[in-house]
Amino acid sequence: MVVDVQSKILPGVTHWQSPNFYAYYPANSSVAGFLGEILSAGINMVGFSWITSPAATELEMIVLDWLGKLLKLPQEFLSSGNCFGHGGGVIQGSASEAVLVVLLAARDKTLRMVGKSALGKLVVYGSDQTHSALQKACQIAGIHPENCRLLKTDSSTDYALSPEIVSEAISHDISIGLIPFFLCGTVGTTSSATVDPLYSLAKIAKSNGMWFHVDAAYAGSACICPEYRKYLDGVEEADSFNMNAHKWFLTNFDCSALWVKDRNALIQSLSTNPEFLKNKASQANLVVDYKDWQIPLGRRFRSLKLWMVLRLYGVENLQNYLRNHIELARYFQVCVGQDPRFEAICVNPLQIVAPRKFSLVCFRLLPPVDDNETRGSNKLNQDLLEAVNSTGRVFITHTALSGMYTLRLVVGAPLTERRHIDAAWKVLQDEAFTLLCSPLQENGNLPKSPPPIGFFGNGFKAEPLPQK
């Protein structure tokens, strides 16, 4: 079997834990998370109700309160300290499941007030940078495709959702008889890790009686660091909040933490109570049954791995882990933005496209001086992406911002060090040199090989981080 795994499986595996993996967003693994997975697999319980394994339910409530306190979430989101029946946290399989269950809760809460026949009038709002999971949730929830408003963003707001545009869209929809009911804000969008203005969006949602959900699937982890907590300002006005511990928090997939202020909204929308699941504790409303907070019935003992991560690493180590990745991303950004020697050789510098807040850098290669058309520039960057990934030494991905084909490099693998960033940067430079200089080489104007290895890496001096 081991031989078959090595010869038949691993050659077709993309190694997400590789220090040279910079694509999408990270999917962290760790010894603590792995131990939690082993223990969960060994116990192998199906904890859909409290009575099926009380420890599974109670540990999940405890660790999500721990994590909520690290994020300084408002008390209304926690299980402890609330009158029973108010808020609390639950582990979902993914942020896609999280946004779906809160959208269903918001939909049914609205329809109870306006009548089920009004389903076709319900409207959802996000931005063109909001994760596509929102669109899928709308499809599943029966929201008409034309009523899913993905409002345009641009570089003037760093691709964040404009409150003015949201207000205008809502006012227009109300004027034509539609019913706005759900607004999604993002902390760390997939394309560029931008942050929507939560306070302003929450105010708009509240004034219009809408459910406000905050998706911090990627960047939420960084907000356990005091210097990044500011990006969650306004979450106290939200109805629900989500972050993926399995992305950037050393917790093996899957572990998506969702907090809600009104657990009854979830339960009323998602609860089923067949005879074969009835028991005294549940019937007396004395316990939490997480089957009523999610789409499936069955659920794994996922809280074990998050418990292990929090216990074995501790807050300070987790904070330093996140800060190190952000510093490595800043170092890469310096390499991209301050390389006059590369610019001198090939005339065309690499360009930072969107401001960096966390560990994602968005950049692109500028086209030759006499070829500044977007189409040509996009093809150049697509070619660079394919060339870089074809080396097998680095894996990055792309997005589109304002119609520009943009390269993304995300630092997030547990084993990534500065030497790996230097190596990735050298691959990018070598492949960019080849793409940009081949026509000039043919005319005899440039050397036929890139600069020597010593030209790269060590010559780039990262600027110190600003003191807070």
Side-chain angles (χ1 to χ4, degrees):
M1 284 299 296
V2 173
V3 171
D4 281 350
V5 168
Q6 292 176 335
S7 64
K8 294 179 169 57
I9 305 300
L10 291 182
V13 168
T14 299
H15 298 284
W16 285 64
Q17 305 311 312
S18 166
N20 301 307
F21 183 94
Y22 304 104
Y24 309 110
Y25 275 135
N28 280 181
S29 180
S30 68
V31 172
F34 183 62
L35 290 174
E37 284 279 29
I38 291 175
L39 187 56
S40 175
I43 295 173
N44 201 36
M45 43 71 66
V46 185
F48 48 83
S49 297
W50 177 87
I51 198 171
T52 62
S53 258
T57 296
E58 295 183 18
L59 182 63
E60 188 161 332
M61 296 170 70
I62 290 169
V63 296
L64 287 180
D65 275 5
W66 286 357
L67 184 53
K69 290 175 182 177
L70 286 182
L71 292 165
K72 293 183 169 54
L73 296 182
Q75 187 69 26
E76 297 96 315
F77 279 128
L78 307 182
S79 294
S80 60
N82 272 309
C83 296
F84 190 83
H86 288 184
V90 57
I91 297 176
Q92 303 285 343
S94 67
S96 299
E97 293 176 39
V99 73
L100 173 59
V101 297
V102 296
L103 182 71
L104 292 172
R107 178 200 67 182
D108 291 350
K109 184 176 181 180
T110 301
L111 292 179
R112 283 193 293 272
M113 294 186 292
V114 301
K116 293 182 179 180
S117 61
L119 178 61
K121 296 181 179 181
L122 300 187
V123 188
V124 172
Y125 303 84
S127 82
D128 57 4
Q129 302 299 306
T130 303
H131 195 279
S132 59
L134 179 63
Q135 291 176 272
K136 182 175 285 190
C138 287
Q139 291 175 240
I140 296 171
I143 305 302
H144 291 188
E146 62 271 20
N147 288 350
C148 181
R149 306 270 190 265
L150 300 180
L151 304 174
K152 185 176 177 56
T153 62
D154 57 41
S155 59
S156 67
T157 61
D158 294 339
Y159 300 99
L161 185 55
S162 165
E164 292 75 20
I165 291 177
V166 175
S167 291
E168 290 174 8
I170 290 174
S171 297
H172 174 265
D173 287 339
I174 291 174
S175 71
I176 60 175
L178 298 179
I179 305 172
F181 82 102
F182 190 90
L183 173 60
C184 182
T186 306
V187 177
T189 57
T190 302
S191 282
S192 64
T194 196
V195 176
D196 289 333
L198 302 188
Y199 264 130
S200 299
L201 296 179
K203 184 177 179 180
I204 293 169
K206 191 171 185 177
S207 65
N208 288 281
M210 301 166 65
W211 185 294
F212 182 44
H213 175 65
V214 176
D215 174 4
Y218 156 67
S221 297
C223 297
I224 70 165
C225 301
E227 64 269 33
Y228 297 107
R229 175 55 180 79
K230 63 185 178 182
Y231 294 117
L232 294 188
D233 287 350
V235 71
E236 58 271 22
E237 301 298 329
D239 296 282
S240 51
F241 173 80
N242 169 237
M243 66 153 281
N244 284 349
H246 61 242
K247 270 191 169 67
W248 198 18
F249 206 70
L250 291 173
T251 308
N252 294 42
F253 187 83
D254 54 344
C255 187
S256 183
L258 170 67
W259 291 268
V260 294
K261 283 184 177 176
D262 181 10
R263 65 176 68 176
N264 282 329
L266 285 183
I267 294 170
Q268 285 182 276
S269 183
L270 301 170
S271 178
T272 56
N273 192 30
E275 186 64 32
F276 56 83
L277 294 182
K278 291 180 180 179
N279 62 84
K280 289 183 178 179
S282 297
Q283 295 300 105
N285 202 31
L286 298 175
V287 295
V288 168
D289 289 336
Y290 275 130
K291 70 179 179 64
D292 299 328
W293 297 42
Q294 62 176 28
I295 299 300
L297 174 63
R299 60 196 333 266
R300 300 167 55 238
F301 201 168
R302 289 178 290 213
S303 57
L304 272 174
K305 53 193 172 186
L306 183 56
W307 182 57
M308 292 258 185
V309 166
L310 292 170
R311 290 282 303 274
L312 294 180
Y313 297 139
V315 177
E316 185 176 353
N317 285 330
L318 289 167
Q319 289 172 334
N320 290 336
Y321 170 77
L322 295 159
R323 287 172 178 142
N324 178 58
H325 282 162
I326 294 171
E327 164 60 14
L328 289 175
R330 192 195 63 79
Y331 171 67
F332 176 75
Q333 180 178 354
V334 170
C335 292
V336 173
Q338 299 181 0
D339 184 6
R341 294 168 297 184
F342 185 72
E343 181 178 354
I345 291 171
C346 282
V347 185
N348 310 95
L350 286 155
Q351 176 191 48
I352 300 297
V353 178
R356 180 196 53 78
K357 291 183 173 65
F358 304 104
S359 68
L360 167 65
V361 181
C362 292
F363 64 103
R364 55 193 268 110
L365 185 62
L366 295 178
V369 175
D370 59 351
D371 181 14
N372 58 7
E373 292 185 4
T374 300
R375 181 181 299 179
S377 175
N378 287 347
K379 178 64 164 61
L380 178 66
N381 280 274
Q382 184 176 358
D383 289 345
L384 179 57
L385 176 74
E386 292 174 357
V388 166
N389 287 346
S390 293
T391 67
R393 295 156 59 193
V394 175
F395 186 31
I396 61 174
T397 49
H398 80 283
T399 188
L401 294 170
S402 298
M404 296 185 297
Y405 192 100
T406 301
L407 306 183
R408 301 169 71 259
L409 185 143
V410 190
V411 183
L415 298 177
T416 301
E417 299 174 359
R418 181 159 167 165
R419 61 189 175 94
H420 300 108
I421 301 298
D422 285 337
W425 178 227
K426 184 183 184 306
V427 171
L428 279 158
Q429 287 187 303
D430 287 352
E431 298 305 326
F433 182 95
T434 300
L435 285 171
L436 289 172
C437 300
S438 291
L440 297 177
Q441 287 170 349
E442 293 174 2
N443 296 329
N445 295 327
L446 279 175
K448 294 187 178 182
S449 63
I453 292 176
F455 181 84
F456 304 102
N458 293 335
F460 302 110
K461 185 177 181 181
E463 298 173 348
L465 288 172
Q467 297 298 313
K468 298 294 181 184

